[in-house]
């Protein structure tokens, strides 16, 4: 038996680009969830600030790809990363979430998750912040050498879902 495969010249596509987004925690109207999939690396989504001094903060961020798609890589460019988080998927809005990835102890600002999946919806559930953002300080606070309060927060420059480059590119 002989089999021939021809690789197509099609580029790898970010199927999350411009997708519908929602989040249960956004910080002001300037940091809306869509900014995490707008293709612009200088904009970002940001969660609400958590309790000062406590890195535990629950935030959910959901991406709707518009239709079921096959993926092979989930890439997140973080401004302020989650230390602990999960990524789950589902094909329809009536299915239960299926967990694909669980990360504990992340400190990276770019995370790659190579895993084959089919999904229309992807959910990023963050539970612990890897970084904290200092509170705004007055000039007097600086002169008095007051230690600023630090708030846990998550921020994402881009959340990419790249279609499977192992199988779907074969023709």
């Amino acid at each position: 038996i002989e089999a021939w495969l021809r690789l197509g010249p099609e580029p790898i596509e970010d199927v999350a680009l411009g997708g519908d987004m929602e989040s249960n925690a956004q910080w002001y109207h300037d940091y809306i969830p869509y900014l995490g999939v707008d293709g612009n690396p200088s904009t970002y989504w940001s969660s609400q600030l958590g309790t000062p001094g406590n890195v535990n903060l629950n935030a959910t961020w959901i991406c709707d790809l518009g239709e079921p798609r096959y993926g092979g890589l989930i890439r997140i460019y973080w401004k302020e990363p989650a230390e602990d988080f999960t990524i789950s998927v589902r094909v329809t809005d009536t299915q239960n979430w299926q967990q694909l990835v669980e990360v504990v102890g992340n400190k990276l600002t770019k995370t790659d998750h190579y895993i084959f999946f089919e999904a229309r919806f992807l959910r990023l559930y963050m539970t612990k912040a890897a970084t904290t953002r200092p509170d705004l300080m007055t000039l007097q606070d600086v002169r008095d050498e007051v230690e600023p309060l630090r708030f846990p927060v998550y921020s994402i420059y881009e959340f990419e879902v790249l279609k499977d480059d192992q199988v779907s590119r074969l023709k």
Side-chain angles (χ1 to χ4, degrees):
I1 294 177
E2 195 170 309
W4 291 83
L5 298 175
R6 183 173 43 140
L7 295 176
E10 63 194 59
I12 296 175
E13 171 188 5
D14 176 8
V15 296
L17 185 63
D20 287 335
M21 303 301 307
E22 67 179 70
S23 173
N24 70 343
Q26 82 180 36
W27 191 33
Y28 301 115
H29 64 275
D30 295 333
Y31 305 101
I32 60 175
Y34 174 77
L35 295 177
V37 294
D38 66 351
N40 182 345
S42 65
T43 62
Y44 59 92
W45 163 80
S46 192
S47 71
Q48 294 176 354
L49 299 177
T51 305
N54 182 357
V55 294
N56 296 314
L57 173 63
N58 293 335
T60 303
W61 195 75
I62 297 173
C63 177
D64 181 350
L65 302 177
E67 63 182 351
R69 304 294 298 260
Y70 289 101
L73 169 62
I74 299 169
R75 176 174 289 149
I76 306 171
Y77 293 96
W78 301 89
K79 176 177 176 23
E80 291 156 318
E83 183 169 325
D84 298 348
F85 63 94
T86 61
I87 300 172
S88 302
V89 297
R90 63 185 185 188
V91 176
T92 69
D93 58 1
T94 58
Q95 287 182 319
N96 291 328
W97 290 101
Q98 177 187 1
Q99 183 174 302
L100 288 181
V101 176
E102 179 178 19
V103 175
V104 176
N106 175 58
K107 300 290 186 190
L108 302 173
T109 57
K110 177 185 160 202
T111 55
D112 287 340
H113 310 282
Y114 292 92
I115 186 165
F116 179 75
F117 63 92
E118 179 184 17
R120 175 178 173 183
F121 302 96
L122 289 94
R123 178 181 68 183
L124 175 62
Y125 180 61
M126 300 154 280
T127 57
K128 184 176 180 182
T131 59
T132 56
R133 183 181 292 173
D135 192 15
L136 296 177
M137 297 180 62
T138 66
L139 186 54
Q140 186 62 46
D141 289 339
V142 173
R143 285 187 191 129
D144 293 344
E145 298 182 15
V146 172
E147 185 67 28
L149 293 175
R150 300 195 64 85
F151 295 85
V153 65
Y154 309 112
S155 299
I156 298 173
Y157 285 118
E158 287 297 314
F159 181 94
E160 298 177 345
V161 177
L162 302 180
K163 70 179 182 179
D164 175 50
D165 61 356
Q166 301 289 320
V167 177
S168 67
R169 292 173 55 98
L170 301 178
K171 293 186 176 186

